[in-house]
Amino acid sequence: MLIRYAKKAEKELAIINKPDAKRIKEKLELYAQNPEVGDVIHLSGHINLYRLRVGNYRVIFELIDGEVRILHVLFIAHRSEVYKDL
């Protein structure tokens, strides 16, 4: 599975402190390799959106099926802020 980042997600990842950003990237790569691993839930009310929990941060992403399955990271934010953008 390929991992793609939206520009907003890249900016948010650059703002987050380095240890947390590294942990987020590691969890995304782990999930991309094995979708059975990680705290991921489908967001109700949205067709193809999912949430990955990494400590106090939440990663909102969509899965795009095609020849190559793509994990498209839409945004990353602190748990107190993430759901305001939905």
Side-chain angles (χ1 to χ4, degrees), residues 2-6 62 64 70-74:
L2 228 94
I3 301 174
R4 267 193 340 203
Y5 293 89
E62 63 180 338
I64 303 170
I70 299 172
L71 188 153
H72 186 223
V73 179
L74 300 172

Side-chain angles (χ1 to χ4, degrees), residues 5 12-28 54 57 76:
Y5 293 89
E12 292 165 346
L13 201 54
I15 294 171
I16 296 171
N17 63 51
K18 299 291 182 197
D20 286 335
K22 181 180 177 187
R23 222 167 110 209
I24 290 169
K25 286 181 181 180
E26 288 172 352
K27 292 284 187 172
L28 281 168
V54 183
Y57 290 92
I76 302 164

